[in-house]
Amino acid sequence: MESFSLLLGGFADALSPVNLMWAFLGVLLGTAVGVLPGMGSAMAVALLLPVTFRMDATSAFILFAGVYYGGMFGGATTSILLNTPGQASSIATTYEGHKMALGGRAAQALGTAVIGSFIASMVGTLVVALFSPTMVALALQFGPGEYFALTVFSFVAIAAVVSGSALRGMAALLIGLVIGMAGIDGQSGAARFDFGLPVMLDGIDVIVVTVGLLALAEVLYVASRGDNAPDLKAIKTGTPWLKKRDLRRSAGPWARGTALGSLFGPIPGSGAEIPTFLSLGLERKLAARRERRGGEKSEFGKGAIEGVAGPEAANNSSASGSLVPLLGLGLPTSATAAIMLAAFQQYGLQPGPVLFERNADLVWTLLASLFVGSVLLLVLNLPFAPLWAKLLKLPKPYLYAGITVCSVLAVYAINSSVAHLVMAIGIAVLGFGMRHFGVPVAPALIGVVLGPIAETELRRALAASSGDPSILVGSGISIGLYALVLAAAVFSAVSAVRRARARKAETETEKTPVA
Amino acid sequence: MMSERTAESAEAASGTGAEDAAAGAGVPAPAAAPEDSAGSPDAAQAAGPAEEAAEETAEEAAAPDPETTPWTGRSAWVFPGVTAAFGLLALSGLATIEPPPHATPPGPTVFPAVVGVLLLVLSACMAVVNVRVARRGPSAAPPMPPVAWRPVLIVLGALAVAAALLQALGWLLTGALLFWAVAYAFGARDHLRDAVVALAMSAAVQVGFSLGLGLPLPGGVLELMFP
């Protein structure tokens, strides 16, 4: 109950006219960036980080809350209209969403996505508000050994379970770890991988990595596809008014998707992809069962509204849920959360248990502004979703030139230094290679942000035990986490084998009619 | 059947989805209805006993995941090479990092060395996968999409030039130049209009950042000419 009164206090702050304006601006900008192909909420937050340098922390986080939700919805828009998800968590939406768009029901798909996102983010934020204090209580019992176990858990979950290929995911993660090592080592003060350049002593800024790896790499990637890149002009839009039938069929998926997302979101490292795909699979099975029992026909494969409503709700509630480990433990578990962490650090704030004690008003204002953000999202995007899609009708050259100029500006503004720009170009080339070879980028970003935390905690633990490694498995919490790591690894190995078998079976059944 | 599927997935991978969108936009919604009823028995059957398998294949057909597409051809060796290079770089820390004399063990070189060894192991694993894919023959995997190097190099060149000239030329001109060059790389050929749009964009950013947010952007030569 204490949470509620604190949350009400947060609302009092978040609802001031100035802060409402920031939230509005955030949703607007977030949607605008999210609607661009290949850009998700992570990118939107990264591009806006430098803009907030001169703002006070509260306003900046309110802006971010808006950007976060706006970007997520924008990602759904491109998934539905263009079949190009801006982030991994929107992939599940593309399957049925894009088919709906092809069938002339783009507006309804957008409508069910907006309302689903709204319901889910309301519930998801409530989960954050209620569970973050619990997480903090748990986190207070954590020592360096437990924190290290937690980072290992996040690494394995993100690199091996969420990525399409465990090998590529691990490689991306480790490359991110190497990038994160550059600069002065916080523990010993030794300079690492600075190549004798003073500018490298501060390390490679997270904004540089994000903008290079996501935005500039995306521009290079689209350029590399030449005429094969999707033509953005061929989209049809309409008004997102849902019929009674659409609403009735969406209601169940919204509720189930929200439940799945809220369940998985707070688990560190589970990512938003797992609940979205679980929701898609669940809705497909339920629709098939309904058809067998003589109900309505399943429309899966031809643009089923359930296949948009469920995954979008799951996406939003799990995205809100991923703020639980970020705020409670200081652990980012998604690319967006990683950049949010960078934003916190920019203000000299370290998320984690201490944040709740020292900056409680800020935390509760942030949580309240997440609610405000999701209401604004509904108000702003339900009527205007088709208008947003028109942003894609900008000529492609101008669209990507604009993204490039904004990226260069974002990087330059960090420190008014050209050196950062050179680093960003180098990382963009790496990111382009990763995109081209189908290596996931998110694990690299997590590696850059979490790597230093993991290393520090490991060394602190070993220093405390004067080198005795048994401290790493010295408590029930760490043993439990390592057991989960093992379970996750086994689970992903089993599902990989099953997938390979399914593929084999499929090629065989395809061959039989020919033979 | 197999080759047809590969062609189809390659097409989807190259992002021609928009063409379908164009076709879909032209066709009024009711026209899709007969197809719906014809297709449904299949769908019902697929959702039957082999539900899991059907699910996987349906997802694959919708959008082949580039993260699981195997690497083929000579460029298959690029990423294992990059991985190995990062591994060697991390290992080189053993020689280049000078730990302070009283550093508590484990010192600053241990973590990089462990990561370096892991990267080399991963690189070797990728090489093994490559060899196995190559042994299955060229038909086993769809070819990698081609890279249009010209626009990529133009964008990279424009970025490099922008980084080099930013301080001297100032944001207004550099930003406009960068915009114009990237637009050119993406096929814009109406040079005059492109230049006007580029200057407008660059000026809007300058005004927004300098006046609105108080962030200084370099003035460059323009500052010298019009102090």
Side-chain angles (χ1 to χ4, degrees), chain A residues 54 95 164 168 171 174 185 188 192-193 224-225 228 231 234 284 302 398 409 412 418 436-438 459 503 506 510, chain B residues 5 13-14 18 21 36 55 57 60 62 67 69 71 75 89 100 106 108 145 147-148 163 166 193-194 209 214 218:
Chain A
R54 296 293 168 96
Y95 297 119
R168 296 181 197 181
L174 291 168
D185 167 39
S188 66
R192 298 196 294 186
F193 307 112
S224 82
R225 306 310 291 268
N228 287 330
D231 182 11
R284 185 182 291 154
K302 295 182 290 292
Y398 292 168
L409 185 76
Y412 180 79
V418 174
H436 178 71
F437 289 106
R459 282 161 66 184
R503 203 171 297 152
E506 171 209 347
E510 274 183 7
Chain B
R5 209 185 105 73
S14 62
D36 277 2
E55 213 174 289
T57 52
E60 262 175 39
E67 286 178 22
T69 314
W71 298 324
S75 67
L89 173 69
V147 174
L166 185 56
R193 195 185 70 176
D194 297 348
F209 261 66

Side-chain angles (χ1 to χ4, degrees), chain A residues 50-51 54 83 95 98-99 102-103 163-165 167-168 170-171 174-175 177-179 181 185 188 190-193 195 216 219-220 222-226 228-231 234 236 277 280-281 284-285 288 291-292 297 302 396-398 400-402 404-406 408-409 412-413 416 418 421 425 429-430 432 434 436-440 451 455 458-459 462 498-499 502-503 506-507 510 514, chain B residues 1-2 5 13-15 17-18 20-22 24-25 29 36 40 44 47 51-53 55-57 59-60 62 65-71 75 78-79 82 86 89-90 93 97-98 100 106-108 111-112 115 118-119 122 125-126 129 144-149 151-152 155-156 159-160 163 166-167 171 175 178-179 182-183 186 188 193-194 197 201 205 209 213-218:
Chain A
V51 178
R54 296 293 168 96
N83 208 13
Y95 297 119
H98 190 57
K99 291 207 180 79
L102 294 182
S163 306
S165 146
L167 209 55
R168 296 181 197 181
M170 293 298 287
L174 291 168
I175 288 174
L177 289 180
V178 175
I179 294 173
M181 281 172 202
D185 167 39
S188 66
R192 298 196 294 186
F193 307 112
F195 303 105
L216 288 177
V219 171
L220 288 175
V222 175
S224 82
R225 306 310 291 268
N228 287 330
D231 182 11
K236 189 189 161 200
F277 276 104
L280 182 67
R284 185 182 291 154
K285 276 177 195 164
E291 184 177 295
R292 272 204 305 278
K297 276 197 173 141
K302 295 182 290 292
K396 208 169 85 181
Y398 292 168
Y400 286 98
T404 312
V405 169
C406 288
V408 166
L409 185 76
Y412 180 79
S416 298
V418 174
L421 218 50
I425 297 172
V429 173
L430 174 71
F432 166 56
M434 291 171 75
H436 178 71
F437 289 106
V439 179
E455 185 185 0
L458 173 66
R459 282 161 66 184
L462 289 178
R498 263 173 63 186
R499 216 178 299 154
R503 203 171 297 152
E506 171 209 347
T507 47
E510 274 183 7
V514 183
Chain B
M1 187 67 189
M2 186 60 212
R5 209 185 105 73
S14 62
D20 304 338
D36 277 2
S40 56
E51 265 175 12
E52 294 286 354
E55 213 174 289
E56 300 277 6
T57 52
E59 275 161 22
E60 262 175 39
D65 186 359
E67 286 178 22
T68 49
T69 314
W71 298 324
S75 67
V78 173
F79 207 81
V82 171
F86 268 96
L89 173 69
I97 299 170
E98 295 161 20
F111 200 69
V115 170
L118 285 176
L119 274 166
L122 278 178
C125 291
M126 288 174 177
V129 171
M144 306 270 303
V147 174
W149 282 110
V152 174
V155 174
L156 274 178
L159 283 169
L166 185 56
Q167 299 289 359
W171 168 262
L178 180 65
F179 188 101
V182 175
F186 276 88
R193 195 185 70 176
D194 297 348
V197 174
M201 166 94 187
V205 168
F209 261 66
L213 294 161
L215 277 175
L217 286 170

Side-chain angles (χ1 to χ4, degrees), chain B residues 218-227:
Chain B
V221 280
L222 293 181
E223 207 162 27
L224 297 176
M225 281 155 62
F226 313 99

Side-chain angles (χ1 to χ4, degrees), chain A residues 9-139:
Chain A
F11 268 113
D13 282 339
L15 286 175
S16 77
V18 180
N19 285 342
L20 267 181
M21 188 204 76
W22 285 123
F24 180 82
L25 200 69
V27 172
L28 200 69
L29 288 172
T31 314
V33 176
V35 161
L36 302 177
M39 309 266 153
S41 50
M43 199 58 247
V45 177
L47 281 178
L48 283 176
L49 255 185
V51 178
T52 58
F53 282 165
R54 296 293 168 96
M55 291 163 61
D56 69 294
T58 313
S59 312
F61 285 115
I62 288 168
L63 185 73
F64 284 143
V67 170
Y68 193 48
Y69 281 137
M72 215 138 45
F73 172 71
T77 313
T78 47
S79 304
I80 291 167
L81 296 176
L82 291 177
N83 208 13
T84 49
Q87 51 211 344
S89 53
S90 304
I91 293 173
T93 311
T94 53
Y95 297 119
E96 298 303 320
H98 190 57
K99 291 207 180 79
M100 280 184 78
L102 294 182
R105 284 164 50 78
Q108 282 71 29
L110 287 173
T112 198
V114 179
I115 302 176
S117 303
F118 169 71
I119 297 171
S121 44
M122 284 308 224
V123 175
T125 312
L126 205 61
V127 169
V128 179
L130 295 179
F131 282 91
S132 295
T134 321
M135 200 67 146
V136 168
L138 189 71

Side-chain angles (χ1 to χ4, degrees), chain A residues 131-142 147 324 327-329 352-357:
Chain A
F131 282 91
S132 295
T134 321
M135 200 67 146
V136 168
L138 189 71
L140 287 172
Q141 298 166 14
F142 276 29
Y147 267 110
V324 174
L327 293 173
L329 300 174
V354 186
L355 186 72
F356 272 82
E357 281 167 23

Side-chain angles (χ1 to χ4, degrees), chain B residues 114-146:
Chain B
V114 171
V115 170
V117 170
L118 285 176
L119 274 166
L120 290 180
V121 170
L122 278 178
S123 172
C125 291
M126 288 174 177
V128 170
V129 171
N130 272 349
V131 170
R132 283 178 56 188
V133 169
R135 227 179 256 163
R136 259 186 278 155
S139 60
M144 306 270 303

Side-chain angles (χ1 to χ4, degrees), chain A residues 194-509:
Chain A
D194 60 342
F195 303 105
L197 302 168
V199 67
M200 291 285 286
L201 290 179
D202 284 336
I204 301 177
D205 198 285
V206 180
I207 304 173
V208 171
V209 178
T210 319
V211 172
L213 221 46
L214 297 179
L216 288 177
E218 173 73 18
V219 171
L220 288 175
Y221 181 70
V222 175
S224 82
R225 306 310 291 268
D227 300 332
N228 287 330
D231 182 11
L232 309 176
K233 288 190 180 173
I235 311 152
K236 189 189 161 200
T237 50
T239 38
W241 300 128
L242 294 173
K243 292 198 196 85
K244 246 191 196 142
R245 180 168 168 271
D246 293 327
L247 278 175
R248 184 167 46 76
R249 286 178 42 186
S250 296
W254 284 336
R256 288 188 287 269
T258 304
L260 276 174
S262 308
L263 209 65
F264 276 83
I267 301 173
S270 66
E273 297 85 349
I274 296 174
T276 52
F277 276 104
L278 282 177
S279 167
L280 182 67
L282 177 71
E283 296 308 330
R284 185 182 291 154
K285 276 177 195 164
L286 285 175
R289 180 193 290 173
R290 190 186 58 203
E291 184 177 295
R292 272 204 305 278
R293 293 196 176 161
E296 274 179 278
K297 276 197 173 141
S298 163
E299 287 183 356
F300 272 89
K302 295 182 290 292
I305 198 164
E306 295 94 333
V308 180
E312 263 313 296
N315 178 11
N316 273 56
S317 58
S318 74
S320 319
S322 74
L323 290 175
V324 174
L326 177 68
L327 293 173
L329 300 174
L331 266 191
T333 53
S334 65
T336 316
I339 299 157
M340 295 278 265
L341 179 69
F344 273 103
Q345 286 166 343
Q346 183 180 302
Y347 288 98
L349 304 167
Q350 182 60 47
V354 186
L355 186 72
F356 272 82
E357 281 167 23
R358 286 197 198 143
N359 304 89
D361 47 339
L362 177 67
V363 175
W364 291 106
T365 311
L366 174 66
L367 289 176
S369 55
L370 287 173
F371 282 109
V372 176
S374 47
V375 174
L376 284 175
L377 186 71
L378 186 72
V379 173
L380 200 62
N381 284 341
L382 191 58
F384 297 117
L387 267 180
W388 282 117
K390 292 225 166 77
L391 191 61
L392 295 167
K393 303 203 172 185
L394 275 173
K396 208 169 85 181
Y398 292 168
L399 193 64
Y400 286 98
I403 295 173
T404 312
V405 169
C406 288
S407 312
V408 166
L409 185 76
V411 170
Y412 180 79
I414 304 167
N415 212 359
S416 298
S417 99
V418 174
H420 282 92
L421 218 50
V422 177
M423 290 182 211
I425 297 172
I427 294 200
V429 173
L430 174 71
F432 166 56
M434 291 171 75
R435 283 293 311 265
H436 178 71
F437 289 106
V439 179
V441 181
L445 209 55
I446 294 284
V448 171
V449 176
L450 266 189
I453 300 178
E455 185 185 0
T456 308
E457 299 297 344
L458 173 66
R459 282 161 66 184
R460 270 178 53 198
L462 289 178
S465 70
S466 38
D468 179 8
S470 68
I471 189 173
L472 298 178
V473 287
S475 77
I477 299 173
S478 5
I479 294 173
L481 283 169
Y482 288 120
L484 280 175
V485 168
L486 214 64
V490 170
F491 171 77
S492 73
V494 168
S495 67
V497 169
R498 263 173 63 186
R499 216 178 299 154
R501 249 185 230 154
R503 203 171 297 152
K504 209 172 165 189
E506 171 209 347
T507 47
E508 269 161 20
T509 48

